[in-house]
Amino acid sequence: MILNTELEYKGNLFPSKIISYKKNLDTLAFTTDNNVVLHVTVVRDSVLRFRYTTTGIFEKDFSYAITKYASRGYNVLEVTEDEDKYIITTAKLICHISKADTRSSIFDAKDKSLICEDELGFHWEESYEFGGDVVKMTKTSHPSEAYYGLGDKPVDNNLKGKRFENWVTDSYAFTKDTDPIYKAIPFYIGLHSKKAYGVFFDNTFKTNFDFCHERRNITSFWAQGGEMNYYFIYGPDMSEVVANYTDLTGKPHEMPALWTLGYHQCKWSYYPESNVKEIAAKFRKLKIPCDAIYLDIDYMEGFRCFTWDKEYFPDPKKMVKELADDGFKTIVIIDPGIKIDPGYPVFKEGLEKDYFCKRADGPYMKGKVWPGECYFPDFTNPEVREWWSDLFKELVEDIGVKGVWNDMNEPAVMDVPGKTFPDDVRHNYDGNRCSHRKAHNIYGMQMARATYQGLKKFSYPKRPFVITRAAYSGTQRYTSTWTGDNVASWEHLIIANVQAQRMCMSGYSFVGSDIGGFAEQPNGELYARWIQLGVFHPFCRTHSSGDHGDQEPWAFGTNVTDVVRKFIELRYQLLPYLYTAFWRYANEGIPILKSLVLYDQNDPHTHYRNDEFIFGEKILVCPINEPNAKGRRMYIPRGNWYNFWTDEVVEGGQELWVDADFDSMPIFVKEGAIIPKYPVQQYVGEKTIDEVSLDVYYKLGKETSQVFEDAHDGYDYIKGRYSVRIFNLLGVETELYIQQHKSGKYIAPFETFKINLHGLPFKISKITIDKEDFIFDDVKVNDSNSFVVNKDFTEIQMM
Ligand code: MIG
């Protein structure tokens, strides 16, 4: 008998020449001599999908990332050919496919400039070890090209020169440059010659990206299995790229209830009940606004999900109600591991219904987490998700919990080398059965999705709230997220800032960090500086492991408490502004935070900035990143900006020193902006708001601002009960006009706007409202240049 003990190592394999081409509606199919098929699908004029198979047949087309609500359709699609290539033309792009080897080059349809080009292009290596291919792609990089995005990478904004891996990992006390950490978002943005494009590599296996690290002018990405399957998304505006990526992978299915944008307080752990209530009471006593309080794993009985430790929490329903009466929403943690315990109903039912993950040879996937040895639901099975969602009935409907926090869903497993499931674990993958190699990166996403389904069902008619640690592209449709177990250090404040920006650039705006740091103990200065940053993140929560001391706003002395209160109050004042930014995100895919490069990509100074960012549309923020600072140097993007504290106007396009003592931080408002503000409340809904302030920043010229309004919870807005106010400001030398266009059916309960004018270069002698002279006492306006008008004015003229 002859035994062949040596495997043939074929190395990199490449598509050979194209021998046939077929057009099927929006999909162009190219087949090569060596049985590679390339499908180019025109998703939109600016979005092309490239999908390759090396075996002549494609697997079933299935993606957890792509939403069924993604827009489709194009204006132009023409395919022509010449001797050596096919030429695909849409309204935005021209794509060449080389007949010799399927390599593609993509050009701007308008000015014919080259945007992105395959170097080797698609190639692959056969894998004896797992079967299937390692699929690879290389593209040439423009000498001045910069790279952004890629979800949650704790590195500087511009990714050029670095290499990354996507494999969601529990990363306690990660550091700058740790890779990978908790999320896998295989989407990046390239920018050169003032044009931006994106690549979304929708492959859930372990993926890698190399941005000119291995070879100076080459960017590449590859995966340990699955298909070479990527979307090319053209801008040329970076914000368009992000909006289109977000359209593909989905916007949040609901607006968040307004309270979820308030301040949240968390710790591992607040227990027993008396401790929880003490903390809550102290917020009210010290008048520090707070909307949510969290229960970490110790609320459960032996860490069994959906149980309560009756010694610590004898009557959860009563406690939750009492907290709610005081404006606190209770949020509880739920992990994926289900304790192996025949007397525990969730375990028993999961076992009976065969809902737990199994190893390749049949045994259950057994792993140690907080409860001890556990089995883990296969959240990739739709039936399991349905079952899981129903488990929330009691917590939400009966006990009154308002949100659920999903942790450890990478999934994390203790005391094993890979910190997660072994590769051979089997998953349902919505009927496309596979191993953990393929399902790992989406496991946490599917858990969060199942949790979201439960919260949605049982919170109805209120909106659901979920927060997750692990995520893959598309998870933003279901849940908010935080950046995991960071550390109480100045470096981590810097990292948290970039992480939040990068997540926003990667389609995932509802994000925040553990303010103050999870591991170790911040001093008061670091905590206060981190709060200053954190109130400008979409999700705003203090959290700490707690075994290093207290981390509540009052834990560091009155000086710190006062600064923390001041900034949390500012967040509450800015809620209508943040809510509007959220609506633009949920509605149009516009990121809530904008890195300077996303704000003004044509200014090359922005390409390497990390610290400064735009909050919403009009507010420029830059955190203080180091101890003992009295201010800092920062880059002000082009345009004129008002110092938020002094109203001094500075000209952008330069780096400036900005004063920022301990009780302050650099904040600027774009000239011409109109910023809506609420009065300070201790929690959302504490007060009936009968007047909204509009802070108007004079500009010589025009500027548009908007405000979104709805009931702040519930689903009426989906039936059209919302409104949008558009404010057009026009300033000339001695006059200022504000026009308001209101559309939509929602009627907000407040009656008046208080107009606060900033930077007016003239003294007001006359005000006309809706063409009628405004009657006011002797003083035309008060000293601080403010006056009150009916909320439905259509035009104000000030002379
Ligand atoms: O192994 O639930 O990231 O926020 O407090 C630690 C306890 C498990 C990790 C989470 C953290 C949470 C902690 N959890």
Side-chain angles (χ1 to χ4, degrees):
M1 190 163 68
I2 299 166
L3 284 180
N4 185 1
T5 53
E6 244 175 59
L7 277 168
E8 190 186 354
Y9 178 67
K10 295 180 186 159
N12 282 335
L13 300 168
F14 293 84
S16 60
K17 69 171 194 292
I18 295 176
I19 52 165
S20 87
Y21 154 68
K22 252 199 267 144
K23 179 167 184 283
N24 183 3
L25 299 171
D26 56 0
T27 298
L28 318 172
F30 304 93
T31 306
T32 70
D33 205 16
N34 62 347
N35 221 16
V36 170
V37 184
L38 159 62
H39 278 180
V40 178
T41 302
V42 180
V43 182
R44 309 184 68 174
D45 286 305
S46 53
V47 181
L48 301 179
R49 177 183 181 192
F50 292 81
R51 192 179 176 208
Y52 299 81
T53 171
T54 60
T55 59
I57 10 168
F58 285 99
E59 284 172 33
K60 189 178 144 203
D61 194 14
F62 175 79
S63 166
Y64 282 117
I66 305 293
T67 170
K68 63 178 179 202
Y69 303 111
S71 320
R72 286 199 145 227
Y74 44 83
N75 297 304
V76 176
L77 172 54
E78 270 168 36
V79 186
T80 57
E81 60 182 289
D82 63 19
E83 215 170 295
D84 43 46
K85 59 186 175 295
Y86 293 91
I87 303 164
I88 307 163
T89 305
T90 74
K92 295 264 174 69
L93 293 172
I94 299 169
C95 173
H96 293 174
I97 306 284
S98 152
K99 287 184 174 174
D101 50 19
T102 77
R103 283 188 304 148
S104 71
S105 312
I106 301 176
F107 305 82
D108 181 310
K110 254 197 227 136
D111 66 10
K112 314 284 186 274
S113 61
L114 179 65
I115 308 299
C116 186
E117 184 171 44
D118 283 356
E119 185 233 3
L120 298 176
F122 171 58
H123 53 294
W124 73 98
E125 234 178 284
E126 291 179 350
S127 167
Y128 172 73
E129 190 200 324
F130 60 79
D133 304 322
V134 179
V135 290
K136 309 177 183 183
M137 171 60 70
T138 65
K139 293 182 177 289
T140 51
S141 176
H142 189 276
S144 75
E145 192 154 357
Y147 296 94
Y148 304 93
L150 220 61
D152 198 9
K153 302 295 180 191
V155 304
D156 292 346
N157 260 336
N158 189 343
L159 303 169
K160 189 164 190 169
K162 300 205 170 86
R163 172 183 279 210
F164 301 94
E165 184 167 286
N166 290 314
W167 183 255
V168 299
T169 303
D170 179 3
S171 323
Y172 173 79
F174 62 92
T175 62
K176 182 154 194 279
D177 297 325
T178 301
D179 184 60
I181 57 170
Y182 301 91
K183 291 163 185 84
I185 301 189
F187 162 68
Y188 72 86
I189 303 164
L191 169 67
H192 68 84
S193 321
K194 302 192 172 177
K195 295 187 171 80
Y197 67 89
V199 168
F200 172 42
F201 182 21
D202 187 11
N203 181 315
T204 62
F205 287 83
K206 183 181 284 177
T207 53
N208 290 85
F209 287 76
D210 184 302
F211 300 101
C212 310
H213 172 82
E214 183 178 314
R215 285 186 289 155
R216 191 161 76 172
N217 56 342
I218 301 300
T219 279
S220 56
F221 49 93
W222 63 98
Q224 302 297 321
E227 284 175 1
M228 176 48 61
N229 167 36
Y230 74 94
Y231 294 78
F232 178 87
I233 305 166
Y234 186 43
D237 285 350
M238 202 184 274
S239 56
E240 275 293 303
V241 175
V242 176
N244 270 323
Y245 164 77
T246 312
D247 186 77
L248 265 184
T249 57
K251 301 153 196 163
H253 283 167
E254 289 84 24
M255 278 292 287
L258 186 63
W259 68 262
T260 67
L261 300 179
Y263 174 72
H264 301 215
Q265 182 67 38
C266 190
K267 179 189 184 163
W268 178 17
S269 277
Y270 290 133
Y271 69 90
E273 172 179 326
S274 57
N275 179 234
V276 179
K277 291 174 84 178
E278 232 171 77
I279 298 287
K282 193 127 186 196
F283 272 97
R284 297 299 179 245
K285 179 162 168 254
L286 295 175
K287 295 220 169 304
I288 299 165
C290 183
D291 260 283
I293 192 152
Y294 285 64
L295 302 180
D296 205 327
I297 48 177
D298 300 285
Y299 80 91
M300 296 181 264
E301 200 215 323
F303 308 116
R304 290 170 187 81
C305 293
F306 309 101
T307 67
W308 290 80
D309 183 310
K310 287 290 161 123
E311 203 179 302
Y312 295 147
F313 296 96
D315 191 347
K317 187 172 177 173
K318 182 161 162 271
M319 176 190 76
V320 169
K321 159 107 184 22
E322 283 165 6
L323 287 167
D325 289 343
D326 204 10
F328 286 94
K329 292 77 183 169
T330 305
I331 296 173
V332 301
I333 199 167
I334 290 284
D335 288 354
I338 299 300
K339 189 179 177 68
I340 301 177
D341 169 4
Y344 165 39
V346 178
F347 174 76
K348 250 182 72 193
E349 206 183 316
L351 204 62
E352 275 162 23
K353 297 191 158 152
D354 200 16
Y355 285 166
F356 295 122
C357 294
K358 288 186 187 143
R359 304 291 300 263
D361 295 329
Y364 286 102
M365 164 58 219
K366 193 197 278 183
K368 202 184 130 203
V369 263
W370 289 104
E373 298 213 307
C374 285
Y375 290 168
F376 300 82
D378 184 9
F379 296 105
T380 73
N381 178 346
E383 214 180 296
V384 174
R385 290 198 297 270
E386 194 57 38
W387 167 69
W388 184 260
S389 72
D390 284 331
L391 295 174
F392 291 94
K393 188 171 166 54
E394 191 191 350
L395 266 180
V396 178
E397 221 176 61
D398 183 41
I399 299 178
V401 160
K402 291 291 186 301
V404 170
W405 170 23
N406 282 165
D407 185 22
M408 306 289 278
N409 54 348
E410 290 72 28
V413 178
M414 292 167 175
D415 303 336
V416 293
K419 299 201 274 188
T420 189
F421 294 180
D423 283 349
D424 69 272
V425 170
R426 304 286 296 160
H427 293 276
N428 178 289
Y429 212 94
D430 279 63
N432 308 281
R433 295 193 56 87
C434 68
S435 80
H436 196 63
R437 299 178 70 260
K438 180 171 176 178
H440 175 78
N441 281 335
I442 52 87
Y443 183 85
M445 171 195 198
Q446 296 310 306
M447 179 194 184
R449 174 185 181 186
T451 303
Y452 158 82
Q453 283 171 7
L455 268 281
K456 182 158 179 172
K457 215 176 319 189
F458 300 117
S459 305
Y460 190 83
K462 303 283 192 200
R463 299 175 195 164
F465 179 67
V466 178
I467 164 167
T468 182
R469 192 169 73 175
Y472 180 72
S473 295
T475 312
Q476 71 272 7
R477 303 198 293 269
Y478 315 115
T479 154
S480 66
T481 188
W482 90 107
T483 55
D485 296 342
N486 58 6
V487 183
S489 70
W490 289 93
E491 184 178 52
H492 261 276
L493 188 160
I494 298 171
I495 298 173
N497 180 9
V498 189
Q499 283 179 297
Q501 291 178 49
R502 189 192 303 291
M503 284 294 282
C504 286
M505 246 193 278
S506 308
Y508 209 139
S509 277
F510 203 176
V511 62
S513 65
D514 282 353
I515 294 176
F518 177 74
E520 300 176 22
Q521 165 88 349
N523 63 22
E525 186 186 12
L526 174 60
Y527 180 69
R529 290 303 197 186
W530 206 322
I531 278 278
Q532 292 175 353
L533 171 66
V535 300
F536 291 103
H537 283 168
F539 177 65
C540 178
R541 179 184 78 160
T542 292
H543 181 42
S544 74
S545 60
D547 49 355
H548 311 276
D550 291 344
Q551 204 157 305
E552 290 80 36
W554 51 83
F556 308 93
T558 24
N559 269 356
V560 174
T561 311
D562 291 345
V563 174
V564 169
R565 181 191 300 105
K566 173 176 167 177
F567 278 84
I568 295 179
E569 284 181 353
L570 178 58
R571 181 174 178 100
Y572 276 75
Q573 289 177 297
L574 288 173
L575 280 176
Y577 175 85
L578 174 57
Y579 198 57
T580 301
F582 209 113
W583 172 70
R584 295 213 63 194
Y585 165 54
N587 195 44
E588 299 163 71
I590 310 271
I592 297 177
L593 308 183
K594 297 161 188 76
S595 301
L596 290 197
V597 63
L598 192 129
Y599 177 74
D600 186 2
Q601 70 194 49
N602 293 337
D603 172 4
H605 287 114
T606 64
H607 295 189
Y608 283 91
R609 302 306 304 195
N610 290 311
D611 295 348
E612 308 85 352
F613 63 93
I614 309 287
F615 170 69
E617 309 286 323
K618 315 276 181 191
I619 299 179
L620 166 67
V621 181
C622 186
I624 296 291
N625 283 340
E626 53 184 24
N628 302 316
K630 298 263 174 231
R632 62 166 291 162
R633 288 187 72 79
M634 66 178 276
Y635 185 72
I636 315 278
R638 296 188 296 186
N640 290 332
W641 299 83
Y642 283 80
N643 183 313
F644 176 78
W645 308 103
T646 64
D647 273 358
E648 182 202 345
V649 178
V650 300
E651 202 187 311
Q654 54 177 332
E655 225 185 54
L656 286 181
W657 170 267
V658 181
D659 288 332
D661 242 322
F662 181 53
D663 63 347
S664 179
M665 80 184 285
I667 305 173
F668 292 86
V669 181
K670 195 177 182 193
E671 67 166 357
I674 296 184
I675 310 281
K677 276 187 184 159
Y678 278 172
V680 172
Q681 304 179 77
Q682 295 310 302
Y683 55 90
V684 167
E686 183 208 17
K687 294 181 180 158
T688 336
I689 291 168
D690 37 38
E691 188 166 282
V692 173
S693 297
L694 292 180
D695 277 36
V696 177
Y697 292 85
Y698 172 86
K699 172 187 185 178
L700 189 62
K702 290 182 184 167
E703 187 77 21
T704 299
S705 305
Q706 46 182 305
V707 180
F708 172 80
E709 288 165 353
D710 71 4
H712 296 161
D713 206 340
Y715 293 88
D716 279 358
Y717 78 105
I718 287 180
K719 298 177 221 140
R721 210 149 295 155
Y722 67 91
S723 60
V724 181
R725 297 170 188 275
I726 306 230
F727 296 107
N728 291 314
L729 174 143
L730 169 65
V732 293
E733 248 104 66
T734 56
E735 284 171 51
L736 180 63
Y737 298 85
I738 304 170
Q739 285 179 338
Q740 176 177 216
H741 297 284
K742 186 185 167 225
S743 60
K745 289 191 222 144
Y746 181 70
I747 299 176
F750 69 95
E751 287 302 326
T752 51
F753 281 126
K754 181 165 185 217
I755 309 274
N756 302 313
L757 299 167
H758 298 260
L760 214 59
F762 55 87
K763 207 166 175 309
I764 298 182
S765 58
K766 188 178 163 193
I767 296 181
T768 311
I769 294 171
D770 297 345
K771 308 273 184 244
E772 285 182 28
D773 286 356
F774 187 39
I775 319 291
F776 36 68
D777 304 325
D778 208 13
V779 236
K780 305 295 181 204
V781 274
N782 68 16
D783 292 343
S784 54
N785 258 354
S786 53
F787 57 93
V788 172
V789 294
N790 183 285
K791 69 172 175 191
D792 290 321
F793 76 87
T794 56
E795 190 186 64
I796 308 178
Q797 186 180 3
M798 288 151 272
M799 291 165 262

